[in-house]
Amino acid sequence: MGKNERQIYVLAAPCNQGKTTTAQLLEKHFKSQGLKVACLQTMKGQYDVGTYLQNDCYHYTVPLEAAKSKKMLEQWIPQGYDRYILEVTFPYNPIGAAYVDLFDNINEVVSYEVKDNWEQFVRNAEPASVTFWDQVNDRNIQRIVTKVPSKIDSPCVDTSFNLHHSEELVFDTINPKMSLPKSDKNVIAVGTFPGEFWDIFPQLKWYGYDYLNFMQDYRKEQYDLAIIGSSLDKSLKLLYKPTEAPVVCYNPLCYRGMPTNSSKYLHVCSSVKSDISSVYQKIKGEIVGTPIGEKGCNYEAFNNQYWVPMNDMWWKGWKDPGMNILTKEGNITFCNGWVLPQYLIREGYLEV
């Protein structure tokens, strides 16, 4: 490896195969060797970051624009770590395949119950695999079998959450380029938000999911910035709004609400209506912000200036057509999607 090159371990698989568990076990393994480890995720980061934060892991989201090329990817890989672990969800759809295309070596995470009919399982789970199966498998793939009853003679994770034969995992090398600004501002946060905020604001105080104690300090406004993260509780409502202190809110529903019987909110059918080869080619060849999905298609969730999935639209099927990906109302910036702080700083929504 070159002087600035580092090892990156890519873990890829559809949902519920054990990628996040495997990533965290691998992180602990490297950490036990005295290495500093960064855990990276693609589009699914917003649903797992809380787990990483609670386990004191360094977590970063690699946005879709990073899938354009290895050079672009390195612009989104933070400097200062010895090892990198990247989770790629849905590697056989056009978005996942765009990430996988950047690597020569992939660790495919396979649960014990489907290991003997893996190809059929993938084709059922990801219909797009008909198009991308050969492309994904045209590289060196190491299988990691998870949820095994007992240790086997290849990389695996047993039901007691032990990682075995980690030395057999395959990796690529990268030259990380991303350097985040640092600020000594007093920041408070609750819920789930991009882990990059931790790097930018080292004094950040996270209340986890304790909204009661958070609200006590939130009302005092004795902070420089408050971050209201996303929450799985869609009924959560906040009545108080700071009068001066800036707020970044990743949970617009906590202030806006979602009426049960309102035509303002549309239920989006989670289906693929776009030509998946076209989606892939747009990711690789078009400028960021170019619409990649047809109207009514689940890839429409990425049709915004940052190519980040709009809140709920990608996974839950709900869409507020009247709200943009970013909306500023007074001193509150609403993020209707997983808008990374790098974008907020660039666009002038966040001062460091």
Side-chain angles (χ1 to χ4, degrees), residues 18-46:
K19 287 189 308 301
T20 299
T21 297
T22 303
Q24 292 182 347
L25 291 174
L26 185 59
E27 187 265 356
K28 289 181 181 179
H29 168 72
F30 287 139
K31 191 180 290 185
S32 71
Q33 298 177 338
L35 301 173
K36 190 175 181 182
V37 187
C39 295
L40 318 171
Q41 286 189 304
T42 56
M43 61 186 177
K44 191 170 169 281
Q46 66 190 100

Side-chain angles (χ1 to χ4, degrees), residues 6-11 19-20 22-31 34-42 52-53 55-62 76-87 174 176-178 180 195-196 199:
R6 297 291 185 270
Q7 295 177 5
I8 182 168
Y9 291 73
V10 179
L11 309 182
K19 287 189 308 301
T20 299
T22 303
Q24 292 182 347
L25 291 174
L26 185 59
E27 187 265 356
K28 289 181 181 179
H29 168 72
F30 287 139
K31 191 180 290 185
L35 301 173
K36 190 175 181 182
V37 187
C39 295
L40 318 171
Q41 286 189 304
T42 56
Y52 280 96
L53 296 181
N55 284 279
D56 198 27
C57 299
Y58 295 100
H59 183 279
Y60 301 86
T61 298
V62 181
W76 289 93
I77 304 295
Q79 298 176 342
Y81 294 89
D82 303 303
R83 297 288 186 274
Y84 297 86
I85 303 168
L86 171 63
E87 290 183 59
I174 53 170
K177 300 289 187 181
M178 187 174 76
L180 295 172
E196 288 82 353
D199 282 54

Side-chain angles (χ1 to χ4, degrees), residues 249 252 255-256 323 325-329 332-336:
C249 180
Y255 278 121
R256 291 170 165 264
M323 190 172 188
I325 189 74
L326 270 178
T327 304
K328 186 73 178 288
E329 295 182 4
I332 302 181
T333 298
F334 289 101
C335 299
N336 192 29

Side-chain angles (χ1 to χ4, degrees), residues 72-339:
M72 182 68 81
L73 171 73
E74 291 178 337
Q75 301 300 318
W76 289 93
I77 304 295
Q79 298 176 342
Y81 294 89
D82 303 303
R83 297 288 186 274
Y84 297 86
I85 303 168
L86 171 63
E87 290 183 59
V88 177
T89 305
F90 303 128
Y92 293 94
N93 76 15
I95 291 177
Y99 287 104
V100 169
D101 180 64
L102 306 179
F103 303 97
D104 296 320
N105 302 286
I106 301 293
N107 299 282
E108 192 159 48
V109 182
V110 179
S111 63
Y112 183 78
E113 63 181 354
V114 299
K115 66 180 178 61
D116 295 328
N117 61 326
W118 177 243
E119 183 172 348
Q120 186 58 50
F121 172 81
V122 169
R123 293 189 184 280
N124 291 337
E126 298 188 47
S129 63
V130 173
T131 300
F132 295 104
W133 178 264
D134 290 338
Q135 178 176 325
V136 171
N137 283 274
D138 187 22
R139 60 203 69 246
N140 179 35
I141 294 182
Q142 171 64 64
R143 175 178 285 192
I144 306 173
V145 182
T146 61
K147 309 173 189 178
V148 298
S150 59
K151 179 181 176 181
I152 59 178
D153 293 330
S154 61
C156 65
V157 174
D158 63 32
T159 51
S160 297
F161 301 106
N162 297 301
L163 174 64
H164 303 283
H165 305 295
S166 59
E167 72 282 354
E168 295 182 26
L169 301 186
V170 295
F171 61 86
D172 274 31
T173 58
I174 53 170
N175 186 358
K177 300 289 187 181
M178 187 174 76
S179 178
L180 295 172
K182 301 290 184 182
S183 173
D184 60 359
K185 285 185 175 182
N186 177 26
V187 181
I188 63 172
V190 69
T192 300
F193 53 92
E196 288 82 353
F197 278 102
W198 284 97
D199 282 54
I200 298 170
F201 303 105
Q203 297 185 40
L204 182 150
K205 181 179 180 180
W206 184 42
Y207 290 76
Y209 302 94
D210 185 353
Y211 285 87
L212 181 61
N213 282 322
F214 170 80
M215 290 304 297
Q216 291 178 354
D217 285 345
Y218 188 52
R219 290 187 178 94
K220 295 176 183 177
E221 295 195 40
Q222 296 177 351
Y223 46 82
D224 299 309
L225 171 70
I227 303 169
I228 300 173
S230 60
S231 170
L232 293 178
D233 182 5
K234 300 308 175 186
S235 64
L236 178 69
K237 298 293 182 289
L238 300 183
L239 300 179
Y240 179 80
K241 287 186 177 182
T243 56
E244 296 183 5
V247 177
V248 175
C249 180
Y250 284 91
N251 185 11
L253 293 181
C254 73
Y255 278 121
R256 291 170 165 264
M258 187 175 73
T260 303
N261 299 312
S262 173
S263 59
K264 179 182 177 183
Y265 291 87
L266 305 178
H267 186 67
V268 182
C269 180
S270 181
S271 62
V272 177
K273 298 181 180 180
S274 305
D275 177 77
I276 57 175
S277 295
S278 176
V279 172
Y280 177 89
Q281 293 302 326
K282 287 177 180 178
I283 294 170
K284 291 294 186 179
E286 300 293 339
I287 62 172
V288 178
T290 301
I292 65 173
E294 302 294 333
K295 186 174 182 179
C297 173
N298 56 7
Y299 293 113
E300 183 191 0
F302 293 85
N303 290 354
N304 55 73
Q305 63 265 42
Y306 309 113
W307 279 355
V308 298
M310 300 282 278
N311 274 355
D312 294 327
M313 189 177 172
W314 177 246
W315 293 93
K316 303 297 184 183
W318 287 99
K319 176 187 178 185
D320 178 353
M323 190 172 188
N324 296 323
I325 189 74
L326 270 178
T327 304
K328 186 73 178 288
E329 295 182 4
N331 56 321
I332 302 181
T333 298
F334 289 101
C335 299
N336 192 29
W338 202 241
V339 184

